[in-house]
Amino acid sequence: DVGLQACLARRGISAAVVPVERLDWVKVFVTGLQDEDFRAGNGTADVAFGWYLDTAQAVIEDSVRSSGSPVVLLGHSAGGWLARALMCREGRDWVEANVKGLVTLGTPHLPPPEGRKDMTQGCLTNLNAEQPSAFFSDLIFYISVA
C-alpha cells in the first residue's frame, strides 16, 4: 500500500479519511449558485461547503468514539481551512471533546489579495473575520506547513 494513510498504518497510527471524490466538489457550485451571498462573493462555509463539513464531522466523531480520545486533524489545501470552518461551526465544546490539534499542508489561510479572484466566494474571508488565525490555540495545537 502507498499513500499517507498506509504509511501511518505501518507505523501503528490509525488514520481516517474524509471520503470525498473529485465530482463532490461540484456540490459547492450547485449549492453556492443557489445562495445570493455566495454569488455576491460573501459566502459562508456552512452553506456552500456544508456537505463537506457534515461528512468530516461524522468521520471525526466516529474516530473519537473508536479511539476514546480527541484526534489530530490533517488538512491539505482547502481541507485545512475547512477543518477550521468545522471547528468554527461546531464551537468550543465540540473542539475540546474531539480535536487534539490541526495540521495543515499547503492551505490558503488568508483570502487572496485585493483584485484577485476569491475561489471561496468570500467563505475564507468570513471565516477569518469570525475566527481569525489559531482561534482555539488555548485548547489545541496548530501546525501549518506552506
Side-chain angles (χ1 to χ4, degrees), residues 47-62:
V47 175
F49 297 91
W51 62 273
Y52 180 91
L53 301 181
D54 294 341
T55 304
Q57 181 181 4
V59 169
I60 292 164
E61 290 175 357
D62 286 347

Side-chain angles (χ1 to χ4, degrees), residues 110-122:
L110 298 175
E114 190 72 31
R116 297 279 177 103
K117 174 71 175 152
D118 180 359
M119 298 305 290
T120 73
Q121 289 299 104

Side-chain angles (χ1 to χ4, degrees), residues 26-105:
V26 172
K27 297 174 191 175
V28 173
F29 299 104
V30 171
T31 305
L33 290 175
Q34 298 173 37
D35 180 66
E36 186 176 331
D37 287 333
F38 185 86
R39 288 192 314 270
N42 191 31
T44 60
D46 286 355
V47 175
F49 297 91
W51 62 273
Y52 180 91
L53 301 181
D54 294 341
T55 304
Q57 181 181 4
V59 169
I60 292 164
E61 290 175 357
D62 286 347
S63 295
V64 169
R65 268 191 298 280
S66 295
S67 70
S69 64
V71 297
V72 175
L73 307 180
L74 173 65
H76 171 255
S77 193
W81 73 262
L82 285 168
R84 289 179 48 223
L86 175 60
M87 292 189 297
C88 177
R89 181 182 84 171
E90 295 307 311
R92 184 173 195 78
D93 291 342
W94 185 87
V95 171
E96 189 168 21
N98 293 283
V99 182
K100 188 183 310 182
L102 172 61
V103 178
T104 62
L105 306 171

